[in-house]
Amino acid sequence: MSDLWVALGLVLALEGALYALAPGAMKQAIRQMLELPEGVLRTGGLIAAIIGVFMVWLVRG
């Protein structure tokens, strides 16, 4: 369970750093995402989730 909290903390740290370092770029990225069809976002999210699970599987064995 502690690994889950560490992972969530890392996600928050990375997201926070992106918004702190480049708020304009993040706003532009959000604008562009709003224009994408839901299917494209869903596919991208699914691919990201699969890559993430694969990375954890590689590291944790």
Side-chain angles (χ1 to χ4, degrees):
M1 186 67 165
S2 66
D3 288 343
L4 175 63
W5 290 112
V6 170
L8 289 173
L10 286 171
V11 167
L12 288 174
L14 291 172
E15 287 280 331
L18 288 174
Y19 282 102
L21 295 173
M26 292 303 293
K27 287 172 74 173
Q28 181 63 28
I30 291 170
R31 279 190 210 103
Q32 289 175 347
M33 281 192 285
L34 288 172
E35 295 174 5
L36 289 174
E38 287 184 11
V40 172
L41 290 173
R42 186 173 289 117
T43 302
L46 182 60
I47 290 170
I50 291 169
I51 291 170
V53 168
F54 182 70
M55 289 173 63
V56 169
W57 178 73
L58 280 176
V59 171
R60 300 300 298 232

